[in-house]
């Protein structure tokens, strides 16, 4: 098919995270082969509110356009978003924890106001007047009319600069609109506000159920494709143990390696590492190596947290692929985050016996490869700002479903951590348990059948033709 006759697809990008998860993973390679694809990147003109810190020209898009939806307009959508979220989740098991999470951001007075506006007799009128006041974003409409797409595609955290605008514009312009879920918490934490996409693409049966229950989407509007960024987990790691040990800077001495994965919200991770180091030194944990991987979006050191390199740890080393980032972000915190390579993470999980973390997606990745993981959220951390937030997170639907799965060990006391690590090391030797863990992982993110890109290409052919 020549270029002139190919159908057109416009992909909308408004966050570095979706650049990492979709663009860097080549999720759109099949689309680029079969369709004329234009990428539209939003650059917020407010310098402290910019979600895209990547230079769009550096991404190598053949067809690129840049728009400037202001942060103020996106912020104006928030009140309707919050009210809609509560309206859709009322009566679900997730409602109380989700409302508490909202209150940590907005305060209880404002949250209770949103709750009142979400009531059945009030919400429809409130929503209608809100939509009338907001109207369309005319510059975006003009861009779409100039591009004349046969389909609009939005990889998204289910909020963002483009979400509300495109769900208003695409139906009016008669253009199919497909939203690609970015993360496993999206369907249980977010709400569709201004309309409904023709399709929402989710990771697995787990998020399909959540989209139906918490977002009130019809089953025929949901597609299960797996996760774009997790396609690397479809294939086994072929590197030898010696090669992996050299790659991650640990001795190839036969000792098991345990991953401690940091989190995106600051917590005193060095204290956790000191607990592990002391337990290994005292023999309360069998001889092993611990590899510390800072989260690629972590912030500066929290109050009282030692710099990792000044903690004098004997049995713990840092993932060398994240060392430069850690040194840089501790000294000079930034709004951007590291574009960590999932191929490196896949090899890391091929080396380790299991993982330890505090409410991190890498625990789901550990489950995907059939290995045990420890959720370590000690009571001693609960009084911190992050700890209070994490205490609510533990009751949210996506976390609850993972913490109750085979191979997931929950620990809320410092004293119980050594026993949990001993259990993890034993469970890592059980091939039957590994198979059960993988089966659970497949519920969260499908890893068999056609690839994400192949499935997406088929859906776009179905909806746009071509």
């Amino acid at each position: 098919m020549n270029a002139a006759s190919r159908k057109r697809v416009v992909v909308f990008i408004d966050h570095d995270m979706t650049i990492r998860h979709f663009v860097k993973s080549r999720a759109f390679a099949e689309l680029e082969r079969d369709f004329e694809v234009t990428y539209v990147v939003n650059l917020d003109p407010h310098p402290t509110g910019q979600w895209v810190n990547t230079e769009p020209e550096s991404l190598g898009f053949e067809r690129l356009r840049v728009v400037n939806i202001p942060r103020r307009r996106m912020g104006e959508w928030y009140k309707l978003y919050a009210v809609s979220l509560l309206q859709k989740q009322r009566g679900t098991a997730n409602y109380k924890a989700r409302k508490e999470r909202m209150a940590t951001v907005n305060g209880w007075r404002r949250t209770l106001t949103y709750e009142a506006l979400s009531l059945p007799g009030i919400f429809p009128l409130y929503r209608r007047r809100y939509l009338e006041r907001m109207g369309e974003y005319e510059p975006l409409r003009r861009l779409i009319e100039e591009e004349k797409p046969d389909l609009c595609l939005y990889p998204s955290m289910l909020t963002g600069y483009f979400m509300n605008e495109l769900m208003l514009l695409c139906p009016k312009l008669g253009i199919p609109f497909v939203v690609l879920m970015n993360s496993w918490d999206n369907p249980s934490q977010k709400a569709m506000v201004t309309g409904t996409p023709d399709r929402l693409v989710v990771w697995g049966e787990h998020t399909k159920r959540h989209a139906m229950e918490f977002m009130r989407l019809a089953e025929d509007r949901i597609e299960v494709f797996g996760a774009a960024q997790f396609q690397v987990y479809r294939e086994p790691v072929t590197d030898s143990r010696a090669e992996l040990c050299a790659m991650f800077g640990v001795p190839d001495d036969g000792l098991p390696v345990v991953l401690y994965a940091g989190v995106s919200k600051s917590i005193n991770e060095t204290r956790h590492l000191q607990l592990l180091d002391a337990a290994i030194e005292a023999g309360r944990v069998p001889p092993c190596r611990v590899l510390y991987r800072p989260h690629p979006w972590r912030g500066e050191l929290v109050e009282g947290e030692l710099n990792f390199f000044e903690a004098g740890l004997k049995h713990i080393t840092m993932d060398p692929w994240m060392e430069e980032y850690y040194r840089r972000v501790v000294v000079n915190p930034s709004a951007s985050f590291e574009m960590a390579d999932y191929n490196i993470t896949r090899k890391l999980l091929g080396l380790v016996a299991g993982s330890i973390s505090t409410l991190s997606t890498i625990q789901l990745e550990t489950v995907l490869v059939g290995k045990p993981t420890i959720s370590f959220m000690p009571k001693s951390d609960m009084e911190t700002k992050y700890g209070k937030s994490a205490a609510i997170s533990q009751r949210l639907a996506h976390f609850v479903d993972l913490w109750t799965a085979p191979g997931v060990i929950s620990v809320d006391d410092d004293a119980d951590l050594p026993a949990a690590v001993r259990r993890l090391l034993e469970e890592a030797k059980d091939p039957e348990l590994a198979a059960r863990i993988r089966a659970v992982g497949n519920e969260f993110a499908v890893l068999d059948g056609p690839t994400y890109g192949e499935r997406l290409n088929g859906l776009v052919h179905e909806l746009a033709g071509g």
Side-chain angles (χ1 to χ4, degrees):
M1 183 182 295
N2 61 54
S5 63
R6 290 196 301 173
K7 295 292 185 79
R8 297 180 176 183
V9 174
V10 176
V11 179
F12 294 85
I13 304 287
D14 61 11
H15 204 288
D16 280 339
M17 195 183 304
T18 53
I19 291 174
R20 180 193 182 210
H21 291 170
F22 293 89
V23 177
K24 297 290 186 180
S25 70
R26 299 291 293 138
F28 306 126
E30 288 84 356
L31 289 182
E32 292 172 354
R33 181 195 67 205
D34 289 0
F35 296 87
E36 182 181 284
V37 180
T38 299
Y39 292 87
V40 177
V41 178
N42 188 71
L43 293 181
D44 188 334
H46 194 296
T48 61
Q50 187 166 305
W51 282 18
V52 175
N53 294 279
T54 305
E55 287 293 332
E57 291 77 11
S58 72
L59 297 171
F61 296 141
E62 184 176 333
R63 293 173 56 85
L64 168 68
R65 295 195 65 172
V66 173
V67 295
N68 304 110
I69 302 173
R71 186 172 181 82
R72 178 176 180 179
R73 178 167 173 88
M74 187 182 74
E76 286 175 344
W77 283 114
Y78 179 79
K79 185 183 291 186
L80 181 59
Y81 163 79
V83 173
S84 299
L85 192 153
L86 294 173
Q87 185 265 337
K88 291 179 186 297
Q89 293 214 8
R90 179 175 284 105
T92 70
N94 201 47
Y95 185 76
K96 183 177 180 182
R98 188 62 187 87
K99 185 172 70 172
E100 288 179 24
R101 167 57 64 82
M102 187 181 292
T104 65
V105 176
N106 297 288
W108 273 110
R109 179 177 294 181
R110 185 172 297 174
T111 300
L112 292 175
T113 299
Y114 294 159
E115 186 175 39
L117 291 169
S118 73
L119 292 170
I122 301 173
F123 177 73
L125 178 62
Y126 175 77
R127 179 180 183 275
R128 184 169 64 251
R129 289 181 175 175
Y130 208 104
L131 294 178
E132 290 171 355
R133 179 174 65 83
M134 290 296 294
E136 299 175 358
Y137 189 63
E138 285 297 329
L140 186 59
R141 182 182 183 118
R142 288 196 298 271
L143 181 149
I144 295 172
E145 289 175 334
E146 290 168 8
E147 290 294 326
K148 298 180 174 60
D150 296 286
L151 183 139
C152 291
L153 190 63
Y154 181 38
S156 171
M157 294 169 286
L158 307 194
T159 58
Y161 288 86
F162 289 119
M163 176 62 84
N164 297 315
E165 313 297 349
L166 291 174
M167 280 198 293
L168 281 175
L169 289 169
C170 286
K172 292 180 181 180
L173 297 172
I175 302 169
F177 178 44
V178 175
V179 177
L180 310 178
M181 177 188 105
N182 174 74
S183 184
W184 63 312
D185 65 336
N186 293 164
S188 62
Q189 301 304 301
K190 308 296 174 59
M192 302 289 188
V193 176
T194 60
T196 303
D198 292 271
R199 295 291 192 279
L200 171 66
V201 174
V202 300
W203 286 7
E205 291 300 320
H206 170 261
T207 39
K208 178 180 178 179
R209 291 194 300 271
H210 281 191
M212 293 170 65
E213 180 179 3
F214 302 124
M215 304 190 81
R216 310 295 184 180
L217 287 185
E219 186 173 7
D220 62 3
R221 293 289 183 106
I222 305 170
E223 302 285 346
V224 175
F225 286 1
Q229 64 267 40
F230 293 163
Q231 296 303 290
V232 295
Y233 294 112
R234 296 169 68 95
E235 301 298 329
V237 174
T238 57
D239 305 74
S240 69
R241 177 182 168 88
E243 290 171 328
L244 292 172
C245 286
M247 183 177 184
F248 292 104
V250 295
D252 184 20
D253 53 9
L255 292 180
V257 181
V258 177
L259 170 65
Y260 179 93
V263 294
S264 59
K265 301 293 193 297
S266 297
I267 196 168
N268 193 332
E269 294 174 351
T270 307
R271 190 186 76 81
H272 293 184
L273 297 171
Q274 289 172 316
L275 290 172
L276 287 166
D277 197 61
I280 297 169
E281 181 70 13
R284 298 193 302 275
V285 168
C288 63
R289 306 284 180 184
V290 176
L291 193 63
Y292 171 45
R293 184 182 190 272
H295 197 285
W297 315 328
R298 76 153 287 159
E300 60 188 322
L301 297 173
V302 300
E303 184 178 355
E305 182 181 12
L306 279 176
N307 185 314
F308 173 87
F309 297 103
E310 298 172 358
L313 302 169
K314 297 180 180 179
H315 305 277
I316 302 176
T317 55
M318 181 178 287
D319 176 358
W321 297 87
M322 296 300 295
E323 181 174 332
E324 186 276 332
Y325 173 73
Y326 181 91
R327 291 183 186 276
R328 172 163 43 89
V329 80
V330 164
V331 174
N332 186 28
S334 169
S336 63
F337 57 82
E338 190 75 359
M339 289 284 191
D341 188 340
Y342 274 100
N343 288 292
I344 302 300
T345 309
R346 175 66 186 101
K347 292 177 184 292
L348 174 57
L349 290 176
L351 170 65
V352 302
S355 67
I356 305 169
S357 192
T358 303
L359 308 182
S360 173
T361 303
I362 204 167
Q363 295 182 271
L364 175 56
E365 295 171 64
T366 308
V367 168
L368 290 176
V369 300
K371 295 185 177 182
T373 184
I374 295 171
S375 172
F376 183 49
M377 186 65 238
K379 297 172 185 175
S380 54
D381 288 328
M382 287 299 188
E383 291 307 310
T384 66
K385 181 179 179 180
Y386 175 71
K388 292 175 181 177
S389 175
I392 298 171
S393 296
Q394 287 178 312
R395 306 197 326 268
L396 294 170
H398 62 293
F399 278 126
V400 169
D401 292 343
L402 183 63
W403 298 160
T404 56
V408 180
I409 306 162
S410 295
V411 179
D412 64 3
D413 193 296
D414 292 355
D416 296 332
L417 182 59
V421 178
R422 292 197 300 270
R423 178 179 161 189
L424 180 146
L425 293 172
E426 284 300 312
E427 289 188 350
K429 302 173 187 176
D430 185 346
E432 292 184 2
L433 177 60
R436 289 170 56 207
I437 294 172
R438 284 194 188 92
V440 169
N442 202 56
E443 281 283 304
F444 282 87
V446 172
L447 290 177
D448 54 11
T451 67
Y452 189 96
E454 290 166 347
R455 285 176 159 128
L456 179 59
N457 194 38
L459 177 64
V460 174
H461 272 282
E462 175 191 335
L463 295 179

